[in-house]
Amino acid sequence: MTTPRRTPQQPAAPAAPPVRLLLDSDDDHAVHRAAYQWADPAQGRITVDPTPHTTSPAYLALDVLRAMGRDGFSRPEAERMSTDPAWRAVTCWTLACGLDEVIVLRAHRLTVERLRRLAAWRADTGIRLTLLAHTPEQTDVQRLLEHLTAAELVDVATVRGTAAVLEAIGPAATRRRIGPPPRDHAHPLPVLPRSGVAAFRADCWRRQNATDFAHTDGQYRAGYAAARTWLTRTPLRPTPPEVTEDADHPAEPTPFTLQETEAVRLFLARLTVSSPSAQHTVARVRGAQAGFLSRSLLLNVPDDLTSCAGPGITTVPLTPRTVHTITVRLPNPLRAAAIAALLFTGTDTSLLSMTQITGVDKDGTTVAIDRDSRINIGQEPGPRHLYAVPPRARPLLRAAVEFRRRTPRTADNHGLFANCFGTTPRFEALIADAGLPVPALVHPHSEDDWHTAARCWHLHTPAPPAPDVPPRLGELHP
């Protein structure tokens, strides 16, 4: 006898307030306009205008996604979603983005099946649902009430009359943003010297003019300060060196443990994930290496970082404009999270496709890919491939995880980005729908990402006195 597979338990949604039924018996245009002006997706309020002349539940889900600002499916060549995935996407985006109030127009034309979908959405998310019916005929009102009962929407508070309906809708949204966010800008850095950590800062000082060095040194100092802060907050327990009879012989450096190595790599990913260019990344990493040396720790990274791949090298900062583009063009949470992951990890799709549902932590701040255990079954585990999730991408990852967990016949060890990277046509469709350049696809990186190749050792030497922030080189002039 086989035991049925258990689906992951979903967290209970907060109790939803009663459904408000606003009856606009005069079919007043002012009511329609007030409902539109009230909406503000950034504040968790949307107005859904169902597509006329259709009764399909899938179309209603797409109308909800369009009201959220996710209307990429409207392009003729874009990938479509069927009914169940579309409503799962609606639920997941609602939970991930803090949507809490919804007005649905033309409620007197909703079928029982559509009302059942709205009822399930409300039960799963706890939204405040308002149905606005433009009903000049009493028969329309009676039919709507019967449909609500059949859809098990029985906790309904009815409001009648134009003045009362306008008051129930509330005032228009203020400071609502129209259009995409402004374009991104970052001060470009010049080509940096290929110097090691010992000479990097001085070489930049000698070769750059005052303005360029000020920007380069700002990145260097930020990396140094971040390393000092991280080392203060992270407990590292070096293995005692072997005692030798020759007291003059220095102790051999001790490599970091598996857990310490993973922690360092995650620190490097967080340090560089939002870096606007490879040159910014090099400056930050050299500063971090100097910060580690000030604590008698040797941090070793590939010599030529710009020829590698990974965070800060083949990544794109997830600015407001980039996230806006992703969410508008990719209403499916899995596809939106997949393209975002390509942009903030900068890694190869063959590695990213191994991401399991449990590879994303509970808060959506890190992605862990345990490649070695999936390829070399039965061998000792090695350090995982760890990536930091920038804050603006976390709602996308949370929505994707929620979407996969709500998909039938899903287990925690299943792939998160299933059907996104599986075949060449699907992957090419994903890139075409996103419409964003992906540096990892054009940058050669046959080996591991640069932060995965990082190594660190305890030097067992007295730490020299060093400030938490390095002095400016201009202050050191005689």
Side-chain angles (χ1 to χ4, degrees):
M1 179 177 179
T2 59
T3 303
R5 184 193 305 236
R6 294 185 177 181
T7 57
Q9 294 295 323
Q10 304 300 330
V19 176
R20 295 192 306 170
L21 177 59
L22 310 183
L23 298 178
D24 177 22
S25 57
D26 296 329
D27 197 11
D28 196 324
H29 181 68
V31 173
H32 194 278
R33 183 173 62 251
Y36 264 106
Q37 293 176 343
W38 165 87
D40 187 357
Q43 299 300 320
R45 308 186 310 194
I46 63 171
T47 296
V48 180
D49 193 355
T51 301
H53 312 300
T54 179
T55 59
S56 167
Y59 265 92
L60 182 58
L62 299 182
D63 291 329
V64 176
L65 292 171
R66 183 183 293 108
M68 294 179 181
R70 294 165 168 82
D71 56 359
F73 51 80
S74 59
R75 296 184 297 109
E77 67 277 10
E79 186 178 70
R80 297 294 191 268
M81 282 189 290
S82 57
T83 302
D84 286 345
W87 278 106
R88 281 201 300 273
V90 166
T91 298
C92 296
W93 286 129
T94 301
L95 295 172
C97 300
L99 179 65
D100 51 21
E101 294 187 71
V102 179
I103 293 179
V104 180
L105 305 180
R106 312 177 200 272
H108 57 291
R109 296 183 177 177
L110 295 176
T111 63
V112 174
E113 178 58 29
R114 284 183 154 202
L115 288 171
R116 284 175 178 154
R117 292 285 183 171
L118 292 176
W121 176 30
R122 170 175 171 260
D124 287 340
T125 60
I127 58 171
R128 183 185 186 187
L129 179 61
T130 299
L131 303 176
L132 179 55
H134 316 279
T135 53
E137 301 293 339
Q138 182 59 32
T139 55
D140 294 332
V141 178
Q142 185 60 35
R143 183 172 62 252
L144 175 58
L145 294 177
E146 293 173 357
H147 286 179
L148 289 172
T149 301
E152 299 182 355
L153 287 172
V154 294
D155 53 337
V156 178
T158 305
V159 178
R160 298 175 182 269
T162 301
V165 167
L166 289 173
E167 183 179 357
I169 291 174
T174 59
R175 300 180 181 180
R176 181 171 48 190
R177 180 174 58 82
I178 304 298
R183 295 189 178 276
D184 309 324
H185 174 73
H187 188 281
L189 295 184
V191 177
L192 301 181
R194 297 180 60 179
S195 308
V197 59
F200 176 80
R201 196 180 185 210
D203 288 346
C204 291
W205 189 32
R206 285 192 296 267
R207 300 179 188 182
Q208 297 177 355
N209 60 42
T211 301
D212 287 342
F213 178 74
H215 288 286
T216 302
D217 199 44
Q219 300 296 313
Y220 178 94
R221 289 158 58 85
Y224 180 95
R228 296 273 299 188
T229 302
W230 182 81
L231 290 170
T232 300
R233 297 175 178 176
T234 305
L236 299 175
R237 299 179 180 179
T239 303
E242 296 182 2
V243 179
T244 60
E245 297 180 358
D246 186 1
D248 296 332
H249 191 276
E252 291 292 329
T254 303
F256 272 31
T257 63
L258 176 66
Q259 291 75 17
E260 291 174 340
T261 299
E262 287 189 344
V264 168
R265 294 173 179 177
L266 183 57
F267 160 74
L268 292 174
R270 286 173 173 159
L271 177 67
T272 57
V273 67
S274 298
S275 181
S277 74
Q279 305 302 328
H280 289 75
T281 298
V282 172
R284 293 182 188 183
V285 172
R286 293 291 182 249
Q289 289 179 284
F292 271 69
L293 275 179
S294 69
R295 295 292 182 87
S296 295
L297 299 170
L298 178 62
L299 173 60
N300 188 22
V301 298
D303 293 334
D304 188 5
L305 286 177
T306 57
S307 66
C308 301
I313 305 296
T314 53
T315 55
V316 173
L318 289 187
T319 61
R321 191 177 184 91
T322 302
V323 173
H324 173 82
T325 302
I326 293 173
T327 54
V328 166
R329 296 186 177 185
L330 299 171
N332 186 316
L334 286 183
R335 303 180 83 229
I339 199 70
L342 276 174
L343 295 179
F344 72 73
T345 64
T347 193
D348 190 79
T349 55
S350 62
L351 175 63
L352 199 58
S353 63
M354 297 183 184
T355 307
Q356 297 177 337
I357 297 175
T358 52
V360 180
D361 71 331
K362 182 177 66 174
D363 298 324
T365 59
T366 60
V367 173
I369 306 174
D370 195 359
R371 184 187 67 176
D372 294 342
S373 65
R374 299 192 66 179
I375 295 179
N376 305 314
I377 300 175
Q379 294 186 9
E380 288 292 327
R384 296 169 297 172
H385 295 249
L386 296 172
Y387 298 89
V389 181
R392 294 189 184 96
R394 292 169 190 172
L396 306 183
L397 267 294
R398 288 197 295 267
V401 170
E402 188 72 17
F403 188 91
R404 288 289 288 139
R405 291 191 189 280
R406 290 175 179 271
T407 302
R409 298 179 296 277
T410 295
D412 284 344
N413 62 345
H414 287 180
L416 175 61
F417 302 120
N419 300 326
C420 293
F421 306 132
T423 63
T424 300
R426 292 191 67 85
F427 181 66
E428 291 177 348
L430 171 66
I431 300 302
D433 286 346
L436 291 169
V438 182
L441 301 182
V442 297
H443 192 286
H445 51 285
S446 57
E447 299 179 353
D448 287 344
D449 296 337
W450 71 268
H451 75 301
T452 304
R455 300 289 186 272
C456 205
W457 292 268
H458 298 276
L459 298 180
H460 304 297
T461 58
D468 287 334
V469 179
R472 299 183 184 275
L473 288 185
E475 299 169 359
L476 300 180
H477 275 299

